[in-house]
Amino acid sequence: MDQKTADVSFDSLLRIFTVPEGPDSTLTQIEAKLSQNLNHFLREHIVAEEKPLRDIEKDFSDPAIPEQPQFVSDHTQHLLDTLVSHSVHTSSPSFIGHMTSALPYFLMPLSKIMIALNQNLVKIETSKAFTPLERQVLGMLHRLIYSEKESFYSQWMHSANHSLGAFCSGGTIANITALWVARNNALKAEGDFSGVEKEGLFAAMMHHGYKGLAILVSERGHYSLKKAADVLGIGQKGLVAVKTDSNNRIVPEALKEKIVELKQQGIKPFAVVGVAGTTETGNIDPLRAIAEICAQEECHFHVDAAWGGATLMSNNHRHLLDGIELADSVTIDAHKQLYIPMGAGMVLFRSPEAMKSIEHHAQYILRKGSKDLGSHTLEGSRSGMAMLVYAAMHIISRPGYEMLIDQGIEKADYFANLIQQQADFELISQPELCLLTYRYVPKNVREALKLASPEQQDKIHQLLNELTKFIQKRQRETGRSFVSRTQLNPIQWALRDTIVFRVVLANPLTSKDVLTKVLEEQRQIATKVPSLINKLNEQCLAIQSAPQTTTSN
Amino acid sequence: MDQKTADVSFDSLLRIFTVPEGPDSTLTQIEAKLSQNLNHFLREHIVAEEKPLRDIEKDFSDPAIPEQPQFVSDHTQHLLDTLVSHSVHTSSPSFIGHMTSALPYFLMPLSKIMIALNQNLVKIETSKAFTPLERQVLGMLHRLIYSEKESFYSQWMHSANHSLGAFCSGGTIANITALWVARNNALKAEGDFSGVEKEGLFAAMMHHGYKGLAILVSERGHYSLKKAADVLGIGQKGLVAVKTDSNNRIVPEALKEKIVELKQQGIKPFAVVGVAGTTETGNIDPLRAIAEICAQEECHFHVDAAWGGATLMSNNHRHLLDGIELADSVTIDAHKQLYIPMGAGMVLFRSPEAMKSIEHHAQYILRKGSKDLGSHTLEGSRSGMAMLVYAAMHIISRPGYEMLIDQGIEKADYFANLIQQQADFELISQPELCLLTYRYVPKNVREALKLASPEQQDKIHQLLNELTKFIQKRQRETGRSFVSRTQLNPIQWALRDTIVFRVVLANPLTSKDVLTKVLEEQRQIATKVPSLINKLNEQCLAIQSAPQTTTSN
């Protein structure tokens, strides 16, 4: 049972700390239903048709903290009606638009245990065994990437004054941490200069005589790197975009030229970021080639493998990330392809000495020589999320993860083929991992395009962009399935700004049938915008009735 | 039941995504026991005597990701034996050493629901109703601090291009976010300079002709500010410590002088941090006086109320934070005195325009004009933690929180009196909120000190420091209770480095009896270090047998 009365007395207050919800309470019932069959529970409770955001906002518009306590049961019902019912069914097999997918069941009760223990990983005194556990998890990921010998890990994994990496709330903090370390190592103490961490960036630049700093990354780098460049005082202009090839991979020659160019301008390129699984197309940069350039040019080589890093679990596909073992640091998000709940980012450093440049101590906490994790993290107080990664590694195991990775890649291949077999869909980017992009192009339009002039192509292209946007939005609102959309500049569209559907196929419950239905639904929705279809038809007619001249494409 | 076999087949893999743990499984049983009586469960499972860290590490020493899957039940038992048994009982009524305390029961099932929903708050598409909910929570905290009118919140709370603050993984990220905003606003675009966010710190300094930047804070500021100064490129030397009075509060006159001094050196003091609840002594800076100086000197005024901010919930004590409503930004951690699980930091900004200086967008995510929360946060992907704050606000309500805050403050007063009544304990810092420090000083030593010369005091003082350290460590290892320790420089010890016990009394289950027993245990432990006690006795004898001369103190 919930609290008997919702009055405010110290006794009733103590009850919420001492008396658990009874077996018949609304909260217990809901927890049980959700634990028994999450997808069924969510299908029942999440409303199908999307409610407009401004209507949802009405339920969340009171800035006053309530003066009256609510019964737990009443509030739970309120959460069901206003929040759960209008949340996103991220674990649905037909939610294939983002990197969040289904979770293994065992992680839900384990999460509850983790939260009930309420450890604080900043310090041994508030986390005890969780500290060596987290260090082991970092060791496991480090070994997955760098495959160092056993002696390496027995020497460094639990060393008080070293760190193989940091557990973070997510990939953004992981990337910032990597670039923070790189910046501080590039501008460390020498002579009478006591290092950028103490004297700041201005003094560091004066000392070295640099006119600026630069981080280089492909045009397809994640937006978090822009944030990193801003936070770290380098400035977004210091994040230099390097040309990519037709497969969205950085062009090593272009990288080299850019570095030379920057140096000539007196700008220090202190880090290069290779992307292992771009967010928009899932492609992997040529990591080995970048590593060689970084070694020659004395740049820190960071790999943003937030999404794609889990591919290392598959012996069948880890070759795609060849060269990652040469990186100075690597970001991996366990809440993406390691199927852990939100909030499990990690950054790993090849050298156990790398993080010394950001080490910090404090008297009442993080004493020197202690093994407190907090002395090597950007964050302070942190939860015991590492426990979930640890458990999943043991229960799923490496071969289990291999299967999960492989099924995603195979499914993406299947879907790519399926799209290519359709007369009215066009594959935009081939999947390298389990991510691909495509769009809907009515059959007559595809025919007409073959004869169109560049100007005519432009017009059609604009209309197709609008159509793609419309279909994606409507499909999301209808609530049966969800694909995301982004904008690319594909070769086949002469680098025009092209709006595409984006699909990520990590959920092992996504069947081939689901994929067929997604295409059918998109085709159906297209028929519901006669205005756009009519305009496209008009264009087609104009092309086909025009005298045949030379056309491009 | 758990998985039948722990072989690796795709079918067995699918099972972990589709078949929940059965009612008789180890994991379900443990979850049930812990849900029925957390403290009982932890008392039973956490071993009393502390195991040395290096022994615990042996259980967490394998860097190889397992090649064989484990049964869920087997692994759960393994976690119980190696991890849970050697974790810290942070919710124990006698764990009074840190800011982590008991959690209300209803938050555990709610946490499970939150994790099962696995929303990603970076973007509406992956969080829907969670986005307006988080905006409301930020609005509630904003109103708690700034008490703006209803029209203010209806205008700004859900405005796409504005933000009242950011939900963060913790206070450190919140503080960094505040100072990032402050830095960027101090160095914003003007003329042909396009702002520090674009051009970086070096160009910004050249443009303004500054020789350095400074953040001012009292000597008692949190170590996270040093990290912030490092990350943001200001340098730790740019974090300028200002003198405190005998109550650990910043001296406004000294602050003013420091600002003038810095300006004369060509250094721009762009932010002042007031502390509302110092980590070591729980004192609150004179916020109103700081606000006035900041207004005169055109500095951003940030208040680090990570711990003490929840005091605003109490109408009886919120006057202690008088002036906080003048701050440009405020950090509050809900996982401290708002009794939320680890991972719920927040930063609030008085002006809805403040965060514009760190706004960022990306094509596939965070489109301009959308209400995606990710365009105003340092972090990217984030979980739906705000739901727990929202639920607690409704179920506990403001008057409930008031009681929780008040009981902590009253208990600290009670404990301070209790300590002062003992002949062999010395109160070092009076509690202003629910935090105090003290140490054990044997009765004969206290007597002798009255007659001691400064040199003799020094010697005794050193021995007392060692004794305090010993007692704190031993008490922790014995496992019945836990107080923390820190080092202060109290007036009554002529600013000598003084090691003290530190106690935080937030847990409503901590009884007066527990407090009495903590002192008794400390007294008992002291008798177990005859070497130190003997040395102290020798010093006492030497003092008492010496001819009486003038003594200080």
Side-chain angles (χ1 to χ4, degrees), chain B residues 105-124:
Chain B
Y105 262 102
F106 67 85
L107 285 177
M108 289 183 242
L110 283 181
S111 295
K112 191 174 171 188
I113 295 172
M114 183 266 285
I115 281 173
L117 292 174
N118 208 26
Q119 305 293 289
N120 184 348
L121 277 277
V122 72
K123 187 166 167 56
I124 297 236

Side-chain angles (χ1 to χ4, degrees), chain A residues 168-346:
Chain A
C168 311
S169 65
T172 299
I173 299 295
N175 280 340
I176 292 175
T177 302
L179 294 170
W180 178 26
V181 166
R183 186 200 70 183
N184 285 12
N185 280 326
L187 304 170
K188 64 179 152 205
E190 55 172 35
D192 54 0
F193 173 65
S194 61
V196 66
E197 66 274 24
K198 296 219 170 58
E199 300 202 25
L201 215 42
F202 183 68
M205 305 287 274
M206 296 301 274
H207 172 81
H208 284 281
Y210 299 142
K211 285 186 195 143
L213 296 174
I215 303 165
L216 293 100
V217 65
S218 93
E219 299 163 325
R220 296 271 160 246
H222 191 253
Y223 74 94
S224 68
L225 298 170
K226 247 191 186 172
K227 253 197 266 190
D230 173 359
V231 172
L232 294 170
I234 289 141
Q236 292 167 9
K237 284 186 185 165
L239 183 75
V240 179
V242 182
K243 222 178 74 179
T244 49
D245 62 19
S246 57
N247 286 317
N248 302 295
R249 297 183 195 122
I250 202 168
V251 177
E253 266 316 305
L255 173 63
K256 222 166 175 169
E257 281 165 23
K258 227 9 149 197
I259 292 177
V260 171
E261 197 185 307
L262 288 164
K263 283 186 175 172
Q264 280 166 353
Q265 294 167 23
I267 292 168
K268 164 85 177 167
F270 73 98
V272 176
V273 181
V275 190
T278 58
T279 313
E280 292 168 284
T281 57
N283 292 113
I284 301 161
D285 277 335
L287 304 179
R288 186 167 295 276
I290 302 178
E292 275 164 25
I293 296 170
C294 286
Q296 281 162 19
E297 305 287 347
E298 295 186 347
C299 289
H300 180 106
F301 176 30
H302 175 64
V303 174
D304 181 355
W307 177 67
T311 311
L312 295 169
M313 288 285 200
S314 167
N315 291 342
N316 306 313
H317 293 291
R318 68 170 288 152
H319 66 87
L320 293 171
L321 277 73
D322 175 61
I324 196 171
E325 68 280 8
L326 303 170
D328 294 297
S329 57
V330 176
T331 289
I332 293 186
D333 274 351
H335 58 237
K336 295 196 170 103
Q337 290 199 80
L338 291 176
Y339 299 87
I340 303 297
M342 204 52 62
M346 276 173 276

Side-chain angles (χ1 to χ4, degrees), chain A residues 18-224:
Chain A
T18 50
V19 185
E21 302 312 304
D24 302 326
S25 74
T26 315
L27 184 49
T28 307
Q29 301 273 312
I30 286 170
E31 190 194 356
K33 273 187 212 158
L34 162 153
S35 304
Q36 276 150 29
N37 191 335
L38 179 66
N39 276 329
H40 182 254
F41 174 86
L42 294 176
R43 269 201 309 275
E44 263 195 350
H45 285 91
I46 296 182
V47 296
E49 282 281 332
E50 190 172 278
K51 187 168 160 180
L53 191 59
R54 84 183 72 82
D55 289 343
I56 299 179
E57 282 169 357
K58 285 179 194 152
D59 287 328
F60 300 100
S61 59
D62 190 355
I65 297 168
E67 284 290 322
Q68 280 291 322
Q70 257 189 331
F71 287 115
V72 173
S73 51
D74 290 350
H75 187 68
T76 305
Q77 191 59 50
H78 165 76
L79 286 176
L80 262 193
D81 296 341
T82 57
L83 183 70
V84 177
S85 61
H86 301 292
S87 62
V88 179
H89 190 164
T90 56
S91 56
S92 161
S94 54
F95 181 91
I96 53 174
H98 282 300
M99 287 163 172
T100 313
S101 91
L103 296 176
Y105 263 103
F106 67 84
L107 285 177
M108 289 182 240
L110 283 181
S111 296
K112 191 175 172 187
I113 294 173
M114 184 267 285
I115 281 172
L117 292 173
N118 209 24
Q119 306 291 289
N120 184 347
L121 277 277
V122 72
K123 187 166 167 55
I124 297 236
E125 274 185 358
T126 50
S127 63
K128 262 196 218 165
F130 272 77
T131 288
L133 173 135
E134 185 170 297
R135 281 183 176 266
Q136 183 184 355
V137 169
L138 292 169
M140 284 171 149
L141 269 297
H142 189 282
R143 187 169 172 278
L144 180 70
I145 298 163
Y146 296 109
S147 314
E148 296 284 355
K149 288 186 202 143
E150 213 162 299
S151 57
F152 176 92
Y153 296 100
S154 55
Q155 184 171 5
W156 304 117
M157 203 159 74
H158 293 292
S159 167
N161 296 314
H162 298 84
S163 185
L164 299 182
F167 209 95
C168 311
S169 65
T172 299
I173 299 295
N175 280 340
I176 292 175
T177 302
L179 294 170
W180 178 26
V181 166
R183 186 200 70 183
N184 285 12
N185 280 326
L187 304 170
K188 64 179 152 205
E190 55 172 35
D192 54 0
F193 173 65
S194 61
V196 66
E197 66 274 24
K198 296 219 170 58
E199 300 202 25
L201 215 42
F202 183 68
M205 305 287 274
M206 296 301 274
H207 172 81
H208 284 281
Y210 299 142
K211 285 186 195 143
L213 296 174
I215 303 165
L216 293 100
V217 65
S218 93
E219 299 163 325
R220 296 271 160 246
H222 191 253
Y223 74 94
S224 68

Side-chain angles (χ1 to χ4, degrees), chain A residues 16 35 60 62 67 78 88 98 105 112 119 136 158 169 183 197 201 230 233 236 379 390 398, chain B residues 16 35 60 62 67 78 88 105 112 119 125 136 158 169 183 197 201 230 233 236 379 390 398:
Chain A
I16 63 170
S35 304
F60 300 100
D62 190 355
E67 284 290 322
H78 165 76
V88 179
H98 282 300
Y105 263 103
K112 191 175 172 187
Q119 306 291 289
Q136 183 184 355
H158 293 292
S169 65
R183 186 200 70 183
E197 66 274 24
L201 215 42
D230 173 359
Q236 292 167 9
E379 292 162 274
Y390 178 87
R398 209 253 340 134
Chain B
I16 63 171
S35 303
F60 299 101
D62 190 355
E67 284 290 322
H78 165 77
V88 180
Y105 262 102
K112 191 174 171 188
Q119 305 293 289
E125 275 185 357
Q136 184 185 355
H158 294 291
S169 65
R183 186 199 69 181
E197 66 274 24
L201 215 41
D230 174 358
Q236 292 168 8
E379 292 162 275
Y390 178 86
R398 210 262 327 141

